[in-house]
Amino acid sequence: MSRGDFEIIRDWVSPGSRVLDLACGDGQLLHELHKEKQVSGYGLEINSQNIEACIEKGVNVIEQNLDRGLGNFKRGSFDTVIMTQALQVMHFPHLVLEEMLRVGRQCIVTFPNFGHWRCRLYLSAYGRMPVSKFMPYTWYDTPNIHFCTFRDFESLCREKNYRVLSRMVVDQSYKSGLAGRVWPNLMGEVAIYHLTAG
Amino acid sequence: MPEVIPADSVGLVEPKAIRFDQSLPLNCGEQLDSFQLMIETYGELNPARSNAVLICHALSGHHHAAGYHSMEDRKPGWWDNCIGPGKPIDTRRFFVVALNNLGGCHGSTGPTSHNPKTGKAYGPDFPVVTVADWVSSQAMLADYLGIEQWAAVVGGSLVGMQTLQWSIAYPERLRHAIIIASAARLSAQNIAFNEVARQAIMSDDQFFGGRYLEENSIPRKGLGLARMVGHITYLSDDAMGSKFGRELKNEGFSYDFNVEFQIESYLRYQGESFSGSFDANTYLLMTRALDYFDPASEYENSLSNALSRSTAKFFLASFSTDWRFSPERSREIVDALMDAGKDVTYLEVDAPQGHDAFLIDIPRYMRGLAAYMNRVAQECL
């Protein structure tokens, strides 16, 4: 079983390259990248069940809290640093991005779009923070502390002089549709960005 | 005192002395013309000889890692909660070898052994062995047992150093290196604690320059003090607090310097029971061997260079309140391994027990180790 965003990411990772996966979850992405593209690397994770799942898969998992930074990795020690669906739980997302692009030559990051029409409609119709199946948490008890929209993210990239190598905008089931391509910030639910330092 | 041996125990076990009539050159320049290692084994070696696991021991450990020697034993081996049928180091799948290190005092050749040159116990004349010497002797043991490659070399605390040395000196002879609550070298603070322990022993008037056995004596006080200092470093402040707090031994103060607090009573008990069962010269030797170990020093102080030749996959774990070998020390090894591009898995377990946690059934730690060992076992087929 593979998540849709993993399929997209897989195409962006070169065979045999060295990858660091931040908040790697149960290690599925690294496992697939290793099996299908002979990619080597490590996953950083703090959830104990996820760590056990990684060990069972034979994925190199390191227990490390990302909010403590990546100071233990040298500049350019990985080809690609990946972070899927975790940017919004970081205390300092901009610093994490900066670190990702110091440690890796490129980075791939995915995050939910708070500018999606359903979020906008929810907020304007109910006047309350959006809660959905996709984002099921209440505002006061949520791991997601830094939501942003695509436009917010791109403005950060411009400010930091990051170059967007590719960008995919997909819906909840990780499919890319015409509407998402035309009005990404309104129609896209998940963004997948491939960046490099400018 | 088991009435019945538990089903997940390796049961009654018997140690075995293995004699080596080959000479072993030592780092210090001397050599042992022959020596003996005391071992125990659990489980069966498979026909491919691929399922052997080596358990090394820390400062005061020995070859009796699991099971019971007799039905009268008060306690099983020192790592019985990890080794046995169905336990993380599953003896239904692995052939487990545990030994007493060279220089030890539990049956392997050491300061209490008979020196063929003098006809008396070696005492202080036993050469100072190093971690590298230990590993050389363990490699000879592997040859003797017909084990070309260990499925894993496993152990906690200072054993991690032996595991590291294995992966540096004999990279092709182990598939997995398991290092728990350890460090790649001792810090100044670690050496300082060792020095206090050694000074306690050597300043005991019963030490006689290490020749106490010839004087029919034991530096009991010094050895006990050394152990007391050790025990303080094995527990976290919290663990000591919750175990003993400020609890008094008797009601009210007696306004003297006898045992007043439970912690004093505990430390004295640990010191006394240790000094009756451990050899002082061995304690000096083992602490010194650990002080010396620093594999990076031969590689321009780069641990990742030192580890570059190793081909093993690594599993490391550390415990949040361990201040003797803190998580930072394990992270140094993990970072060096990642820098060298080696396969490594690392757990940082939240545990209040301090350094002693590595011997305790902490569910997360046990599950992680079991999951890893399961992978090791799958590769043995």
Side-chain angles (χ1 to χ4, degrees), chain B residues 5-65:
Chain B
I5 301 271
D8 61 354
S9 166
V10 295
L12 287 176
V13 293
E14 219 174 300
K16 211 159 57 176
I18 297 175
R19 181 123 210 110
F20 295 86
D21 285 314
Q22 309 149 256
S23 69
L24 175 67
L26 303 170
N27 275 163
C28 64
E30 295 183 44
Q31 65 168 38
L32 290 172
D33 295 329
S34 65
F35 64 98
Q36 166 174 303
L37 291 178
M38 201 62 137
I39 69 162
E40 276 180 17
T41 67
Y42 323 110
E44 299 288 329
L45 188 60
N46 66 7
R49 299 180 170 271
S50 63
N51 68 333
V53 170
L54 178 66
I55 308 285
C56 307
H57 66 77
L59 197 52
S60 59
H62 42 67
H63 53 279
H64 184 37

Short mmCIF file of all heavy atoms in Angstrom, two decimals, chain B residues 5-65:
data_model
loop_
_atom_site.label_atom_id
_atom_site.label_comp_id
_atom_site.label_asym_id
_atom_site.label_seq_id
_atom_site.Cartn_x
_atom_site.Cartn_y
_atom_site.Cartn_z
N ILE B 5 11.37 -23.64 37.75
CA ILE B 5 12.04 -22.77 36.78
C ILE B 5 10.97 -22.19 35.85
O ILE B 5 10.17 -22.92 35.29
CB ILE B 5 13.05 -23.60 35.94
CG1 ILE B 5 14.09 -24.25 36.86
CG2 ILE B 5 13.65 -22.77 34.84
CD1 ILE B 5 15.31 -23.44 37.15
N PRO B 6 10.93 -20.85 35.69
CA PRO B 6 9.91 -20.26 34.81
C PRO B 6 10.05 -20.77 33.36
O PRO B 6 11.16 -21.09 32.93
CB PRO B 6 10.22 -18.76 34.88
CG PRO B 6 11.15 -18.57 36.02
CD PRO B 6 11.82 -19.87 36.30
N ALA B 7 8.91 -20.81 32.66
CA ALA B 7 8.92 -21.37 31.30
C ALA B 7 9.79 -20.56 30.35
O ALA B 7 10.32 -21.09 29.38
CB ALA B 7 7.49 -21.43 30.77
N ASP B 8 9.93 -19.24 30.62
CA ASP B 8 10.73 -18.44 29.69
C ASP B 8 12.17 -18.27 30.19
O ASP B 8 12.87 -17.33 29.83
CB ASP B 8 10.08 -17.08 29.45
CG ASP B 8 9.96 -16.26 30.72
OD1 ASP B 8 10.28 -16.80 31.81
OD2 ASP B 8 9.56 -15.10 30.64
N SER B 9 12.61 -19.22 31.00
CA SER B 9 14.00 -19.19 31.47
C SER B 9 14.80 -20.23 30.68
O SER B 9 14.24 -21.22 30.21
CB SER B 9 14.06 -19.52 32.95
OG SER B 9 15.39 -19.82 33.34
N VAL B 10 16.09 -19.99 30.56
CA VAL B 10 16.94 -20.99 29.90
C VAL B 10 17.15 -22.18 30.84
O VAL B 10 17.71 -23.19 30.44
CB VAL B 10 18.30 -20.44 29.46
CG1 VAL B 10 18.12 -19.39 28.38
CG2 VAL B 10 19.08 -19.87 30.62
N GLY B 11 16.67 -22.06 32.08
CA GLY B 11 16.73 -23.20 33.01
C GLY B 11 18.04 -23.30 33.74
O GLY B 11 18.72 -22.30 33.98
N LEU B 12 18.38 -24.52 34.11
CA LEU B 12 19.64 -24.73 34.82
C LEU B 12 20.78 -24.74 33.80
O LEU B 12 20.69 -25.40 32.77
CB LEU B 12 19.61 -26.08 35.57
CG LEU B 12 18.73 -26.12 36.81
CD1 LEU B 12 18.70 -27.52 37.39
CD2 LEU B 12 19.19 -25.12 37.86
N VAL B 13 21.81 -23.99 34.10
CA VAL B 13 22.93 -23.89 33.15
C VAL B 13 24.23 -24.18 33.87
O VAL B 13 24.33 -24.06 35.09
CB VAL B 13 23.01 -22.48 32.51
CG1 VAL B 13 21.81 -22.23 31.63
CG2 VAL B 13 23.13 -21.40 33.58
N GLU B 14 25.22 -24.55 33.09
CA GLU B 14 26.51 -24.88 33.69
C GLU B 14 27.61 -24.09 32.98
O GLU B 14 27.69 -24.13 31.75
CB GLU B 14 26.76 -26.36 33.50
CG GLU B 14 27.41 -27.00 34.71
CD GLU B 14 27.50 -28.51 34.51
OE1 GLU B 14 26.44 -29.16 34.33
OE2 GLU B 14 28.62 -29.01 34.49
N PRO B 15 28.44 -23.40 33.74
CA PRO B 15 29.54 -22.70 33.10
C PRO B 15 30.60 -23.68 32.62
O PRO B 15 30.67 -24.81 33.11
CB PRO B 15 30.10 -21.81 34.21
CG PRO B 15 29.50 -22.27 35.47
CD PRO B 15 28.39 -23.22 35.19
N LYS B 16 31.38 -23.22 31.66
CA LYS B 16 32.38 -24.10 31.08
C LYS B 16 33.69 -23.31 30.98
O LYS B 16 33.69 -22.16 30.56
CB LYS B 16 31.92 -24.50 29.68
CG LYS B 16 32.40 -25.87 29.27
CD LYS B 16 31.56 -26.47 28.13
CE LYS B 16 31.52 -25.63 26.88
NZ LYS B 16 30.81 -26.22 25.77
N ALA B 17 34.80 -23.93 31.38
CA ALA B 17 36.10 -23.25 31.26
C ALA B 17 36.76 -23.72 29.98
O ALA B 17 36.84 -24.92 29.72
CB ALA B 17 36.97 -23.59 32.46
N ILE B 18 37.20 -22.77 29.17
CA ILE B 18 37.87 -23.14 27.92
C ILE B 18 39.31 -22.66 27.96
O ILE B 18 39.59 -21.48 28.23
CB ILE B 18 37.12 -22.53 26.72
CG1 ILE B 18 35.72 -23.14 26.72
CG2 ILE B 18 37.83 -22.83 25.42
CD1 ILE B 18 34.83 -22.58 25.69
N ARG B 19 40.20 -23.59 27.73
CA ARG B 19 41.61 -23.31 27.87
C ARG B 19 42.21 -23.01 26.50
O ARG B 19 41.92 -23.70 25.53
CB ARG B 19 42.22 -24.57 28.50
CG ARG B 19 43.62 -24.56 28.77
CD ARG B 19 44.07 -24.81 30.22
NE ARG B 19 45.32 -24.04 30.34
CZ ARG B 19 45.43 -22.96 31.07
NH1 ARG B 19 44.42 -22.55 31.80
NH2 ARG B 19 46.56 -22.30 31.10
N PHE B 20 43.03 -21.99 26.42
CA PHE B 20 43.71 -21.66 25.16
C PHE B 20 45.20 -21.80 25.38
O PHE B 20 45.77 -21.10 26.22
CB PHE B 20 43.37 -20.23 24.72
CG PHE B 20 41.93 -20.05 24.38
CD1 PHE B 20 41.00 -19.74 25.38
CD2 PHE B 20 41.46 -20.21 23.09
CE1 PHE B 20 39.65 -19.59 25.08
CE2 PHE B 20 40.12 -20.06 22.78
CZ PHE B 20 39.21 -19.75 23.78
N ASP B 21 45.80 -22.71 24.63
CA ASP B 21 47.26 -22.87 24.77
C ASP B 21 47.99 -22.15 23.65
O ASP B 21 49.04 -22.58 23.20
CB ASP B 21 47.62 -24.35 24.85
CG ASP B 21 47.27 -24.92 26.23
OD1 ASP B 21 47.60 -24.26 27.23
OD2 ASP B 21 46.60 -25.97 26.29
N GLN B 22 47.41 -21.05 23.19
CA GLN B 22 48.09 -20.21 22.21
C GLN B 22 48.46 -18.93 22.94
O GLN B 22 47.78 -18.55 23.89
CB GLN B 22 47.12 -19.78 21.09
CG GLN B 22 46.36 -20.90 20.44
CD GLN B 22 45.00 -20.38 19.98
OE1 GLN B 22 43.97 -20.64 20.59
NE2 GLN B 22 45.01 -19.65 18.87
N SER B 23 49.50 -18.27 22.47
CA SER B 23 49.85 -17.04 23.18
C SER B 23 48.98 -15.89 22.67
O SER B 23 48.57 -15.87 21.51
CB SER B 23 51.33 -16.73 23.01
OG SER B 23 51.56 -16.37 21.69
N LEU B 24 48.72 -14.98 23.57
CA LEU B 24 47.92 -13.81 23.23
C LEU B 24 48.77 -12.56 23.48
O LEU B 24 49.04 -12.20 24.63
CB LEU B 24 46.66 -13.78 24.10
CG LEU B 24 45.75 -12.56 23.95
CD1 LEU B 24 45.11 -12.50 22.58
CD2 LEU B 24 44.68 -12.56 25.03
N PRO B 25 49.23 -11.91 22.40
CA PRO B 25 50.00 -10.68 22.60
C PRO B 25 49.05 -9.56 23.04
O PRO B 25 47.95 -9.43 22.52
CB PRO B 25 50.57 -10.39 21.21
CG PRO B 25 49.89 -11.29 20.26
CD PRO B 25 49.01 -12.26 21.00
N LEU B 26 49.50 -8.79 24.02
CA LEU B 26 48.64 -7.74 24.57
C LEU B 26 49.13 -6.36 24.16
O LEU B 26 50.31 -6.17 23.86
CB LEU B 26 48.62 -7.84 26.10
CG LEU B 26 48.17 -9.18 26.67
CD1 LEU B 26 48.44 -9.25 28.17
CD2 LEU B 26 46.70 -9.43 26.38
N ASN B 27 48.23 -5.40 24.17
CA ASN B 27 48.57 -4.01 23.81
C ASN B 27 49.72 -3.45 24.64
O ASN B 27 50.53 -2.65 24.15
CB ASN B 27 47.37 -3.09 24.02
CG ASN B 27 46.44 -3.08 22.83
OD1 ASN B 27 45.30 -2.67 22.91
ND2 ASN B 27 46.92 -3.57 21.68
N CYS B 28 49.84 -3.88 25.90
CA CYS B 28 50.84 -3.29 26.78
C CYS B 28 52.24 -3.81 26.45
O CYS B 28 53.22 -3.35 27.05
CB CYS B 28 50.50 -3.60 28.23
SG CYS B 28 50.54 -5.35 28.63
N GLY B 29 52.34 -4.74 25.52
CA GLY B 29 53.67 -5.24 25.13
C GLY B 29 53.95 -6.62 25.70
O GLY B 29 54.79 -7.35 25.19
N GLU B 30 53.24 -6.98 26.76
CA GLU B 30 53.44 -8.32 27.32
C GLU B 30 52.57 -9.31 26.55
O GLU B 30 51.82 -8.94 25.66
CB GLU B 30 53.04 -8.32 28.80
CG GLU B 30 53.95 -7.45 29.65
CD GLU B 30 53.59 -7.52 31.12
OE1 GLU B 30 53.34 -8.64 31.61
OE2 GLU B 30 53.53 -6.46 31.75
N GLN B 31 52.70 -10.59 26.93
CA GLN B 31 51.80 -11.56 26.33
C GLN B 31 51.44 -12.64 27.34
O GLN B 31 52.16 -12.88 28.30
CB GLN B 31 52.40 -12.17 25.08
CG GLN B 31 53.64 -13.02 25.33
CD GLN B 31 54.00 -13.80 24.07
OE1 GLN B 31 53.87 -13.29 22.96
NE2 GLN B 31 54.44 -15.04 24.25
N LEU B 32 50.29 -13.25 27.12
CA LEU B 32 49.90 -14.39 27.95
C LEU B 32 50.19 -15.64 27.12
O LEU B 32 49.72 -15.76 25.99
CB LEU B 32 48.41 -14.31 28.29
CG LEU B 32 47.97 -13.21 29.25
CD1 LEU B 32 46.45 -13.16 29.33
CD2 LEU B 32 48.56 -13.43 30.64
N ASP B 33 50.98 -16.57 27.69
CA ASP B 33 51.33 -17.76 26.91
C ASP B 33 50.15 -18.71 26.78
O ASP B 33 50.01 -19.43 25.80
CB ASP B 33 52.51 -18.48 27.56
CG ASP B 33 53.76 -17.61 27.50
OD1 ASP B 33 53.87 -16.83 26.53
OD2 ASP B 33 54.58 -17.67 28.43
N SER B 34 49.33 -18.72 27.80
CA SER B 34 48.09 -19.50 27.74
C SER B 34 47.09 -18.81 28.64
O SER B 34 47.47 -18.02 29.51
CB SER B 34 48.34 -20.93 28.22
OG SER B 34 48.70 -20.90 29.58
N PHE B 35 45.84 -19.07 28.42
CA PHE B 35 44.81 -18.46 29.28
C PHE B 35 43.53 -19.26 29.20
O PHE B 35 43.38 -20.17 28.38
CB PHE B 35 44.56 -17.00 28.88
CG PHE B 35 44.00 -16.82 27.50
CD1 PHE B 35 42.64 -16.64 27.29
CD2 PHE B 35 44.84 -16.83 26.39
CE1 PHE B 35 42.12 -16.48 26.01
CE2 PHE B 35 44.33 -16.66 25.09
CZ PHE B 35 42.97 -16.49 24.91
N GLN B 36 42.63 -18.91 30.08
CA GLN B 36 41.34 -19.61 30.16
C GLN B 36 40.21 -18.60 30.15
O GLN B 36 40.33 -17.53 30.72
CB GLN B 36 41.34 -20.41 31.47
CG GLN B 36 40.01 -20.94 31.90
CD GLN B 36 40.14 -21.83 33.13
OE1 GLN B 36 40.89 -22.82 33.12
NE2 GLN B 36 39.45 -21.48 34.19
N LEU B 37 39.13 -18.95 29.46
CA LEU B 37 37.93 -18.11 29.50
C LEU B 37 36.77 -18.93 30.03
O LEU B 37 36.59 -20.08 29.64
CB LEU B 37 37.58 -17.58 28.10
CG LEU B 37 38.53 -16.56 27.48
CD1 LEU B 37 38.07 -16.18 26.08
CD2 LEU B 37 38.65 -15.31 28.36
N MET B 38 36.02 -18.34 30.93
CA MET B 38 34.85 -19.00 31.48
C MET B 38 33.65 -18.55 30.67
O MET B 38 33.45 -17.35 30.46
CB MET B 38 34.70 -18.56 32.94
CG MET B 38 33.88 -19.47 33.76
SD MET B 38 34.66 -21.09 33.82
CE MET B 38 34.47 -21.47 35.51
N ILE B 39 32.87 -19.50 30.19
CA ILE B 39 31.71 -19.12 29.36
C ILE B 39 30.46 -19.90 29.77
O ILE B 39 30.53 -20.92 30.45
CB ILE B 39 31.97 -19.37 27.84
CG1 ILE B 39 32.03 -20.87 27.53
CG2 ILE B 39 33.23 -18.69 27.38
CD1 ILE B 39 31.86 -21.17 26.04
N GLU B 40 29.33 -19.37 29.32
CA GLU B 40 28.08 -20.13 29.36
C GLU B 40 27.45 -19.99 28.00
O GLU B 40 27.61 -18.95 27.34
CB GLU B 40 27.12 -19.55 30.43
CG GLU B 40 27.40 -20.08 31.80
CD GLU B 40 26.46 -19.52 32.87
OE1 GLU B 40 25.39 -18.98 32.53
OE2 GLU B 40 26.82 -19.65 34.05
N THR B 41 26.74 -21.01 27.56
CA THR B 41 26.02 -20.90 26.29
C THR B 41 24.57 -21.32 26.51
O THR B 41 24.28 -22.14 27.38
CB THR B 41 26.63 -21.79 25.19
OG1 THR B 41 26.44 -23.15 25.54
CG2 THR B 41 28.11 -21.51 25.01
N TYR B 42 23.69 -20.70 25.74
CA TYR B 42 22.26 -21.01 25.82
C TYR B 42 21.74 -21.18 24.40
O TYR B 42 22.12 -20.42 23.51
CB TYR B 42 21.48 -19.89 26.51
CG TYR B 42 22.23 -19.23 27.66
CD1 TYR B 42 22.72 -17.93 27.54
CD2 TYR B 42 22.49 -19.93 28.85
CE1 TYR B 42 23.42 -17.33 28.58
CE2 TYR B 42 23.19 -19.33 29.89
CZ TYR B 42 23.65 -18.03 29.75
OH TYR B 42 24.35 -17.44 30.76
N GLY B 43 20.87 -22.14 24.18
CA GLY B 43 20.32 -22.38 22.83
C GLY B 43 21.29 -23.22 22.02
O GLY B 43 22.34 -23.65 22.51
N GLU B 44 20.91 -23.46 20.77
CA GLU B 44 21.69 -24.37 19.91
C GLU B 44 22.28 -23.61 18.73
O GLU B 44 21.60 -22.78 18.12
CB GLU B 44 20.78 -25.47 19.33
CG GLU B 44 20.11 -26.36 20.37
CD GLU B 44 21.09 -27.31 21.02
OE1 GLU B 44 22.05 -27.71 20.31
OE2 GLU B 44 20.92 -27.65 22.21
N LEU B 45 23.52 -23.96 18.39
CA LEU B 45 24.12 -23.40 17.18
C LEU B 45 23.48 -24.11 15.99
O LEU B 45 23.40 -25.34 15.97
CB LEU B 45 25.64 -23.65 17.22
CG LEU B 45 26.48 -22.97 16.13
CD1 LEU B 45 26.35 -21.46 16.17
CD2 LEU B 45 27.95 -23.38 16.27
N ASN B 46 23.01 -23.35 15.01
CA ASN B 46 22.35 -23.98 13.86
C ASN B 46 23.39 -24.58 12.91
O ASN B 46 24.58 -24.29 13.03
CB ASN B 46 21.41 -22.98 13.16
CG ASN B 46 22.15 -21.81 12.51
OD1 ASN B 46 23.38 -21.81 12.47
ND2 ASN B 46 21.43 -20.83 12.04
N PRO B 47 22.97 -25.44 12.00
CA PRO B 47 23.95 -26.12 11.12
C PRO B 47 24.80 -25.14 10.30
O PRO B 47 25.97 -25.40 10.05
CB PRO B 47 23.08 -26.98 10.21
CG PRO B 47 21.80 -27.17 10.94
CD PRO B 47 21.60 -25.93 11.77
N ALA B 48 24.21 -24.01 9.92
CA ALA B 48 24.98 -23.02 9.14
C ALA B 48 25.91 -22.20 10.03
O ALA B 48 26.69 -21.39 9.54
CB ALA B 48 24.02 -22.10 8.41
N ARG B 49 25.83 -22.39 11.35
CA ARG B 49 26.64 -21.66 12.33
C ARG B 49 26.46 -20.14 12.19
O ARG B 49 27.41 -19.37 12.29
CB ARG B 49 28.13 -22.01 12.18
CG ARG B 49 28.39 -23.49 12.40
CD ARG B 49 29.85 -23.88 12.24
NE ARG B 49 30.02 -25.25 12.71
CZ ARG B 49 30.30 -25.57 13.98
NH1 ARG B 49 30.45 -24.63 14.88
NH2 ARG B 49 30.43 -26.83 14.32
N SER B 50 25.23 -19.77 11.89
CA SER B 50 24.99 -18.36 11.59
C SER B 50 24.15 -17.66 12.67
O SER B 50 23.81 -16.50 12.52
CB SER B 50 24.26 -18.25 10.25
OG SER B 50 22.99 -18.87 10.34
N ASN B 51 23.79 -18.38 13.73
CA ASN B 51 22.86 -17.77 14.70
C ASN B 51 23.50 -17.49 16.06
O ASN B 51 22.81 -17.47 17.07
CB ASN B 51 21.62 -18.66 14.88
CG ASN B 51 21.95 -19.97 15.57
OD1 ASN B 51 23.09 -20.45 15.47
ND2 ASN B 51 20.99 -20.56 16.26
N ALA B 52 24.82 -17.28 16.07
CA ALA B 52 25.49 -17.08 17.35
C ALA B 52 25.46 -15.61 17.76
O ALA B 52 25.68 -14.71 16.95
CB ALA B 52 26.93 -17.57 17.26
N VAL B 53 25.17 -15.38 19.03
CA VAL B 53 25.12 -14.02 19.58
C VAL B 53 26.08 -13.96 20.75
O VAL B 53 26.04 -14.81 21.65
CB VAL B 53 23.69 -13.69 20.05
CG1 VAL B 53 23.67 -12.40 20.85
CG2 VAL B 53 22.74 -13.60 18.86
N LEU B 54 26.96 -12.99 20.75
CA LEU B 54 27.92 -12.83 21.84
C LEU B 54 27.42 -11.78 22.83
O LEU B 54 27.06 -10.67 22.43
CB LEU B 54 29.29 -12.40 21.28
CG LEU B 54 30.38 -12.15 22.33
CD1 LEU B 54 30.77 -13.43 23.05
CD2 LEU B 54 31.61 -11.52 21.69
N ILE B 55 27.38 -12.16 24.11
CA ILE B 55 27.00 -11.21 25.15
C ILE B 55 28.26 -10.88 25.95
O ILE B 55 28.83 -11.75 26.61
CB ILE B 55 25.98 -11.85 26.13
CG1 ILE B 55 24.80 -12.47 25.37
CG2 ILE B 55 25.52 -10.83 27.17
CD1 ILE B 55 23.80 -11.50 24.83
N CYS B 56 28.70 -9.63 25.86
CA CYS B 56 29.85 -9.22 26.65
C CYS B 56 29.32 -8.61 27.95
O CYS B 56 28.14 -8.30 28.06
CB CYS B 56 30.67 -8.18 25.92
SG CYS B 56 31.13 -8.68 24.26
N HIS B 57 30.19 -8.44 28.92
CA HIS B 57 29.69 -7.88 30.17
C HIS B 57 30.37 -6.56 30.51
O HIS B 57 31.42 -6.22 29.99
CB HIS B 57 29.83 -8.88 31.32
CG HIS B 57 31.25 -9.21 31.69
ND1 HIS B 57 32.04 -8.37 32.43
CD2 HIS B 57 31.99 -10.31 31.43
CE1 HIS B 57 33.22 -8.94 32.61
NE2 HIS B 57 33.23 -10.12 32.01
N ALA B 58 29.72 -5.84 31.42
CA ALA B 58 30.21 -4.53 31.83
C ALA B 58 31.19 -4.71 32.99
O ALA B 58 31.71 -5.80 33.20
CB ALA B 58 29.04 -3.66 32.22
N LEU B 59 31.38 -3.67 33.74
CA LEU B 59 32.41 -3.62 34.77
C LEU B 59 32.42 -4.84 35.69
O LEU B 59 33.41 -5.54 35.83
CB LEU B 59 32.20 -2.34 35.58
CG LEU B 59 33.36 -1.89 36.43
CD1 LEU B 59 34.62 -1.82 35.61
CD2 LEU B 59 33.04 -0.54 37.03
N SER B 60 31.29 -5.09 36.35
CA SER B 60 31.30 -6.11 37.38
C SER B 60 30.57 -7.38 36.95
O SER B 60 30.27 -8.23 37.76
CB SER B 60 30.66 -5.56 38.65
OG SER B 60 29.34 -5.17 38.34
N GLY B 61 30.28 -7.50 35.68
CA GLY B 61 29.53 -8.66 35.19
C GLY B 61 30.40 -9.90 35.04
O GLY B 61 31.55 -9.95 35.45
N HIS B 62 29.79 -10.91 34.44
CA HIS B 62 30.49 -12.18 34.23
C HIS B 62 29.74 -13.01 33.21
O HIS B 62 28.83 -12.52 32.55
CB HIS B 62 30.63 -12.91 35.56
CG HIS B 62 29.37 -12.86 36.39
ND1 HIS B 62 28.21 -13.48 36.00
CD2 HIS B 62 29.09 -12.20 37.54
CE1 HIS B 62 27.28 -13.25 36.90
NE2 HIS B 62 27.78 -12.46 37.84
N HIS B 63 30.14 -14.29 33.13
CA HIS B 63 29.59 -15.18 32.11
C HIS B 63 28.18 -15.66 32.43
O HIS B 63 27.52 -16.22 31.58
CB HIS B 63 30.50 -16.40 31.99
CG HIS B 63 30.74 -17.05 33.32
ND1 HIS B 63 31.67 -16.56 34.21
CD2 HIS B 63 30.13 -18.09 33.93
CE1 HIS B 63 31.64 -17.29 35.32
NE2 HIS B 63 30.71 -18.22 35.18
N HIS B 64 27.73 -15.47 33.67
CA HIS B 64 26.42 -16.01 34.05
C HIS B 64 25.33 -14.99 33.72
O HIS B 64 24.89 -14.24 34.58
CB HIS B 64 26.41 -16.37 35.53
CG HIS B 64 25.13 -17.02 35.99
ND1 HIS B 64 24.42 -17.90 35.20
CD2 HIS B 64 24.43 -16.90 37.14
CE1 HIS B 64 23.34 -18.29 35.86
NE2 HIS B 64 23.32 -17.69 37.02
N ALA B 65 24.93 -14.96 32.45
CA ALA B 65 23.99 -13.94 32.00
C ALA B 65 22.54 -14.36 32.14
O ALA B 65 21.65 -13.52 32.26
CB ALA B 65 24.29 -13.59 30.54
#
